[in-house]
Amino acid sequence: MTEYQSDNSIKGYKIIVIILAVILAALTYLYFTQVKELKGDRQELMVQRDTLVNRLTGIMTDFDSLKTENDTISANLLIERQRADSILQKLQQERSLSYAKINQYEKELGTLRTIMQNYVRQIDSLNTLNQTLIQENLTYRRNENELKLRASMAEERAKELDVKVQQGSVILARNIALLALNNNDKEVTRANRAARLRTDFVLTANELATPGDRTVYVRIIGPDGYLLANSSDNVFDFEGERLAYSASRSIDYQNEDLGVNIYYNGGGITGGKYSVSVYMDGKLIGTNEIILK
């Protein structure tokens, strides 16, 4: 080999070395660039995963805050809540993150968010409806109570009116007098000469009373405080009791003043103060005290 050829070989080797050095430098640059990019991508993916975890945790909290008495919605909320929990566990345990997987998780979170928003609207609608029904129920109860109160007041007024009508329909006896008579029905001035007693009175006119046949009873209490009576069987009903009477008479009342005379035929007639009570329709309709000499 000549000296010229030797110089050319050395130059060739140098060129090859230079080329190899350039290639090595380029490869080294590419390697470190890719490593740096991979580290950057990994960090970016971790940041996005943490963001997804936070968003998913917020969605789960929102699911937990949704309360409703509707059994169907409650069951569906539980299913979606469990689904969100499953996605969270899968995301936290993911070992080979990629942008494609991140996008997939993004879609799943979007679906969950949409489902939750739909349930929020349903629950709001139900709550609004419930509030409306509650208000309507309160209004109904208030109206019902008012109607009951009015009915009760009307019933009380009707009872009061009925009592007033009953009280107003009572036929009263006025001008009650007690006369001592002899056997010829002539009035005598001395009671010890009397063969019998006659009670005179007037049944007052009353348009509210029911006209028709009635029986009037008279009780005469003598000066000794005992009832003048011919028989212990002569009794009538008064306020749930059976009272003995001295004399009675049937009359026909036609809502006009009616003079009535009732005779007591019996013994025990003496001078002194007598108490006379008149009864009709189960009521005491008049009393008077008379002195016979």
Side-chain angles (χ1 to χ4, degrees):
M1 178 180 298
T2 63
E3 183 179 347
Y4 175 75
Q5 290 176 334
S6 177
D7 291 337
N8 287 337
S9 296
I10 293 172
K11 288 181 180 180
Y13 287 131
K14 287 182 179 181
I15 291 172
I16 291 173
V17 170
I18 292 172
I19 292 172
L20 290 175
V22 171
I23 292 173
L24 179 60
L27 291 174
T28 301
Y29 174 78
L30 290 174
Y31 170 75
F32 283 108
T33 300
Q34 290 179 352
V35 169
K36 184 177 180 181
E37 289 178 354
L38 287 174
K39 286 183 178 181
D41 289 343
R42 180 65 180 176
Q43 291 177 351
E44 178 64 24
L45 290 172
M46 294 300 293
V47 169
Q48 292 190 25
R49 185 185 71 173
D50 292 341
T51 301
L52 289 174
V53 168
N54 291 334
R55 289 171 54 192
L56 187 54
T57 301
I59 291 176
M60 294 169 66
T61 301
D62 291 340
F63 269 117
D64 291 337
S65 67
L66 295 179
K67 304 295 181 182
T68 179
E69 294 181 359
N70 186 286
D71 293 338
T72 301
I73 295 179
S74 294
N76 292 334
L77 284 174
L78 180 60
I79 292 173
E80 296 302 329
R81 176 62 174 77
Q82 292 173 345
R83 178 184 172 192
D85 187 64
S86 176
I87 294 174
L88 178 61
Q89 292 181 11
K90 183 178 178 182
L91 181 59
Q92 289 175 332
Q93 295 172 2
E94 187 67 63
R95 292 294 179 266
S96 56
L97 279 174
S98 65
Y99 287 108
K101 289 184 177 181
I102 291 295
N103 290 334
Q104 182 62 37
Y105 284 118
E106 285 277 5
K107 292 179 180 179
E108 293 185 24
L109 262 66
T111 301
L112 282 174
R113 174 65 67 180
T114 300
I115 291 173
M116 185 194 66
Q117 290 172 347
N118 288 334
Y119 283 126
V120 168
R121 285 191 291 270
Q122 291 182 45
I123 292 173
D124 286 344
S125 298
L126 287 175
N127 290 339
T128 301
L129 178 60
N130 286 337
Q131 290 299 320
T132 301
L133 292 175
I134 290 173
Q135 187 61 41
E136 290 178 353
N137 189 35
L138 290 175
T139 302
Y140 170 78
R141 289 184 178 180
R142 184 163 52 248
N143 292 339
E144 184 182 28
N145 290 335
E146 289 178 358
L147 290 175
K148 287 182 178 179
L149 179 60
R150 291 180 182 177
S152 178
M153 293 174 64
E155 185 178 358
E156 289 296 325
R157 285 196 295 268
K159 288 180 179 179
E160 291 176 1
L161 181 61
D162 185 58
V163 170
K164 290 180 179 179
V165 170
Q166 290 181 8
Q167 293 174 344
S169 64
V170 173
I171 303 167
L172 299 177
R174 72 173 191 270
N175 301 334
I176 299 172
L178 184 65
L179 302 176
L181 306 176
N182 60 21
N183 288 326
N184 297 321
D185 287 339
K186 299 296 183 179
E187 184 178 353
V188 294
T189 57
R190 295 292 178 180
N192 55 8
R193 298 177 184 175
R196 59 179 178 169
L197 299 174
R198 189 183 75 200
T199 304
D200 296 342
F201 56 88
V202 177
L203 294 177
T204 58
N206 191 332
E207 294 182 353
L208 297 178
T210 303
D213 294 334
R214 286 175 168 77
T215 300
V216 185
Y217 301 93
V218 173
R219 282 170 54 88
I220 303 173
I221 306 297
D224 57 2
Y226 289 97
L227 174 72
L228 301 183
N230 292 321
S231 172
S232 60
D233 293 332
N234 293 341
V235 294
F236 68 100
D237 292 326
F238 175 69
E239 295 182 353
E241 296 182 5
R242 302 286 287 173
L243 288 183
Y245 61 87
S246 304
S248 67
R249 179 182 173 180
S250 295
I251 55 97
D252 180 18
Y253 180 79
Q254 295 299 324
N255 305 98
E256 298 177 350
D257 280 358
L258 178 64
V260 179
N261 309 121
I262 299 180
Y263 292 89
Y264 165 72
N265 298 303
I269 302 174
T270 61
K273 184 169 67 175
Y274 287 78
S275 175
V276 181
S277 301
V278 183
Y279 298 82
M280 189 173 69
D281 296 335
K283 296 178 176 62
L284 175 63
I285 63 173
T287 62
N288 196 11
E289 291 185 348
I290 300 117
I291 296 176
L292 297 180
K293 295 181 179 179

